[in-house]
Amino acid sequence: MASKVYCEDSATIACPNQLDLFLTELADTKANFPDGENAQIIQEELNQIIQGTLLDLSGKYCLFHNAVVQQGGSMVEGTKIGQADEFDYVFILPALQEQLLWKNGKAFCADDYDINIQSTKLILSMKELCFMEDILCPDWCDQEENEQRRRDQLIFKDGKSPWRDEISAMVSAAIHRSLLSQVKKFPQWQHVARLKYPSGRTYLQILKFTDADGSERFVSVDICLAIQISHSTPNSEPLQLLFDFWSINTISCSRRSESPWELSKLSSLPLDSVEKRCYRVLKYLIQTFLESQLDMYTMEYKAVITTYTLKTLFLKVLIESEEKWELHQLGQKTLKILHLIRQDLETLKNKKNSSDPPRSEERRVGKEC
């Protein structure tokens, strides 16, 4: 309970207690946002690199024609802690969206989407078999190798293809080649490594930035591909779906992206707002004090409570709040979210074999509220 103090005008106002003040200091020191000069240079130059990469891809491959880039993640939301070393981008592909058909050869509409599809996967086919040929049989590959790919594609043109991992690998190679051409234009940047196959739906790239003092920093760049499906009503926001390549003429939409909605909820809040301080403190506490496990893809130790789970619970508390958070509420809000995390962990422990998902796995609400 926050303490009360009487001001000179006899009005009673809430004041922060010791926990509020401690968490505020923690948020502004060890859990602070990386907003220094180097962080700004990294963000601005990396944005130019990614924009140039997508422009290069758009001029070479049908899949990326007229594509646009959407930046998301903690650096844009103002919730990053530590260094400016993680960036998230989504490539929106309108040319692919125009290709997709659903049942009975009809174009898929966002009104047809059911949240339950996420557990069963939404399978959409493409109108033209040759739509992906320029990226699957590119001019930078051996002609004989390309002919072999064409033969393999025709064999598996109907239904699920065992060659689908190679499709993702060729898309990854195309992204990598275009990214390399852009990185060379920036002397402080160097491409270090990438995943040949996407981790989930993410095409991970590792870059290295060298600042003016010669200090080096590794920067991970997550690139996801998405389509935006319109609703029948013009005023509704489009449905953004991340997808996997299923076969030569089929994709599987297995995740609905809430990134635009999350960004709209968080980007308007100042960096020093109580809400963002609360979220950064929670990230710091989880990363510092909870057991971590090694991510075999990125070779980094990550907390067992994922950022997705933490953000889901944080957004739940945020959208249930009718007013902006005050400093004297920082401790209260932090403890409330930690309590929700504890409840979820207990649910997972007690209902391992239950089909009922815990709160952190429920669809994020807010658009209907």
Side-chain angles (χ1 to χ4, degrees):
M1 181 68 68
S3 59
K4 303 285 184 178
V5 63
Y6 287 93
C7 299
E8 293 180 0
D9 59 359
S10 301
T12 303
I13 60 173
C15 290
N17 57 25
Q18 290 298 315
L19 178 60
D20 299 321
L21 296 174
F22 169 75
L23 294 180
T24 300
E25 182 179 1
L26 187 64
D28 296 340
T29 53
K30 294 185 178 181
N32 62 311
F33 180 79
D35 58 351
E37 181 180 355
N38 276 338
Q40 185 176 358
I41 294 173
I42 289 173
Q43 188 165 16
E44 290 177 355
E45 292 192 351
L46 184 57
N47 286 344
Q48 294 178 51
I49 291 172
I50 296 300
Q51 291 282 0
T53 298
L54 190 55
L55 183 62
D56 186 67
L57 288 166
S58 179
K60 293 178 178 177
Y61 308 109
C62 293
L63 179 67
F64 293 98
H65 187 57
N66 290 331
V68 295
V69 62
Q70 178 187 91
Q71 188 178 1
S74 56
M75 281 300 297
V76 180
E77 295 168 351
T79 57
K80 182 73 172 71
I81 63 174
Q83 297 185 336
D85 56 5
E86 295 178 357
F87 293 83
D88 301 315
Y89 296 92
V90 178
F91 290 175
I92 310 296
L93 309 180
L96 176 62
Q97 189 272 329
E98 293 174 0
Q99 279 282 322
L100 298 179
L101 300 173
W102 196 37
K103 298 177 180 177
N104 301 320
K106 296 181 179 180
F108 182 71
C109 179
D111 298 325
D112 300 318
Y113 183 81
D114 188 320
I115 191 63
N116 294 322
I117 288 176
Q118 286 197 160
S119 61
T120 59
K121 294 189 178 181
L122 170 64
I123 307 301
L124 300 173
S125 60
M126 301 182 198
K127 297 176 184 177
E128 304 171 44
L129 183 61
C130 62
F131 177 71
M132 294 279 291
E133 183 166 335
D134 56 4
I135 202 169
L136 299 180
C137 303
D139 54 11
W140 41 267
C141 280
D142 180 77
Q143 184 176 356
E144 183 177 345
E145 187 179 350
N146 283 340
E147 289 301 324
Q148 182 62 47
R149 284 200 185 91
R150 288 189 179 94
R151 289 193 292 271
D152 290 344
Q153 292 168 23
L154 292 175
I155 293 173
F156 301 111
K157 67 179 180 180
D158 297 318
K160 183 177 174 180
S161 167
W163 200 65
R164 60 177 178 165
D165 287 340
E166 292 302 319
I167 299 174
S168 296
M170 292 302 292
V171 173
S172 178
I175 294 174
H176 174 235
R177 290 175 66 87
S178 291
L179 183 62
L180 275 180
S181 69
Q182 300 303 310
V183 170
K184 292 177 181 177
K185 300 177 182 179
F186 293 81
Q188 291 179 276
W189 290 86
Q190 180 182 349
H191 190 281
V192 177
R194 70 181 177 97
L195 288 182
K196 180 179 179 181
Y197 302 104
S199 171
R201 287 153 294 274
T202 301
Y203 293 82
L204 175 65
Q205 310 284 331
I206 304 296
L207 307 181
K208 183 170 68 175
F209 175 80
T210 305
D211 63 25
D213 297 329
S215 300
E216 298 178 343
R217 181 180 307 178
F218 291 98
V219 178
S220 68
V221 181
D222 287 341
I223 298 174
C224 291
L225 308 183
I227 53 176
Q228 289 194 151
I229 310 293
S230 299
H231 286 79
S232 57
T233 52
N235 294 329
S236 299
E237 294 182 4
L239 174 68
Q240 185 166 299
L241 298 173
L242 305 181
F243 63 87
D244 302 313
F245 292 101
W246 198 250
S247 70
I248 184 59
N249 65 336
T250 309
I251 68 170
S252 168
C253 296
S254 52
R255 178 178 167 188
R256 171 177 172 169
S257 173
E258 302 290 357
S259 179
W261 175 73
E262 294 172 4
L263 188 59
S264 68
K265 286 292 180 183
L266 294 171
S267 61
S268 61
L269 298 171
L271 280 176
D272 60 353
S273 65
V274 176
E275 292 88 344
K276 285 189 177 177
R277 280 172 168 165
C278 176
Y279 186 68
R280 294 200 304 269
V281 164
L282 287 165
K283 287 179 70 174
Y284 173 80
L285 294 176
I286 288 174
Q287 293 177 12
T288 304
F289 297 106
L290 290 187
E291 179 184 358
S292 299
Q293 57 188 2
L294 181 65
D295 187 320
M296 295 303 296
Y297 288 104
T298 63
M299 299 304 294
E300 296 176 345
Y301 281 94
K302 295 186 176 181
V304 293
I305 303 296
T306 65
T307 302
Y308 182 86
T309 299
L310 174 60
K311 185 180 287 186
T312 300
L313 297 176
F314 170 78
L315 288 171
K316 170 183 170 59
V317 175
L318 180 64
I319 63 178
E320 288 177 352
S321 305
E322 297 182 357
E323 300 178 351
K324 74 173 186 176
W325 299 0
E326 301 293 343
L327 184 58
H328 68 273
Q329 296 176 306
L330 179 56
Q332 171 195 344
K333 298 293 186 181
T334 302
L335 292 175
K336 181 176 182 178
I337 296 170
L338 288 173
H339 177 68
L340 292 176
I341 292 174
R342 179 180 178 182
Q343 285 184 328
D344 269 5
L345 292 175
E346 290 176 348
T347 301
L348 287 172
K349 179 180 179 181
N350 298 330
K351 298 185 177 181
K352 287 183 179 180
N353 299 321
S354 173
S355 59
D356 297 330
R359 183 185 299 103
S360 61
E361 297 300 323
E362 293 176 359
R363 178 171 67 94
R364 290 181 181 169
V365 295
K367 293 182 180 180
E368 297 82 9
C369 296

